[in-house]
Amino acid sequence: MMEQTKAVAALAALAQDTRLSVFRLLMQTGPDGMIAGAVAEAMDVPPSTMSHHLAKLEQAGLVMSWRTSRLIHYAADYAGIHALLNFLMADCCRGDPNACADLLSAITCSASPEGAGV
């Protein structure tokens, strides 16, 4: 189970317009992710600024990175996202899954989330 301080850090990282857009973009790209330069280009943000945003998301446990040759790839960290969602939902409806059914059924995956900025 995620600690509250880690959940606060993750939510704080997402509480910024560019980082939220980057996070949503990386969620769309799946486990293969994108190279840092492509993320910066897609978001129309200078590479040095994007490096800062990606580092904040990685420190918060929401994205992960790896290097191949001179390229740094970034992808959503699904384990970290899962931990955050579990933390947020752990006490939902006092453990009665029927009371949370409407909330959980409202969560859907789509190819292009509204307002993703991509």
Side-chain angles (χ1 to χ4, degrees):
M1 179 68 121
M2 177 178 268
E3 299 172 12
Q4 183 161 324
T5 55
K6 289 184 179 184
V8 169
L11 293 169
L14 293 173
Q16 197 278 343
D17 190 52
T18 301
R19 286 193 291 271
L20 181 58
S21 294
V22 168
F23 173 76
R24 295 186 73 192
L25 173 65
L26 292 174
M27 288 292 292
Q28 288 177 356
T29 62
D32 292 337
M34 297 175 71
I35 59 171
V39 176
E41 186 176 316
M43 294 287 112
D44 195 26
V45 173
S48 60
T49 302
M50 184 53 65
S51 292
H52 166 77
H53 290 306
L54 289 165
K56 287 281 190 188
L57 290 168
E58 188 167 22
Q59 290 167 359
L62 298 171
V63 303
M64 59 184 173
S65 67
W66 65 95
R67 183 179 292 274
T68 56
S69 187
R70 294 182 358 199
L71 301 175
I72 300 175
H73 299 258
Y74 287 88
D77 184 338
Y78 294 103
I81 296 160
H82 187 262
L84 176 60
L85 292 174
N86 276 340
F87 175 83
L88 293 172
M89 298 298 295
D91 300 320
C92 179
C93 307
R94 297 184 181 171
D96 180 3
N98 294 324
C100 293
D102 288 343
L103 174 64
L104 296 174
S105 69
I107 298 171
T108 60
C109 292
S110 65
S112 180
E114 183 179 313
V118 291

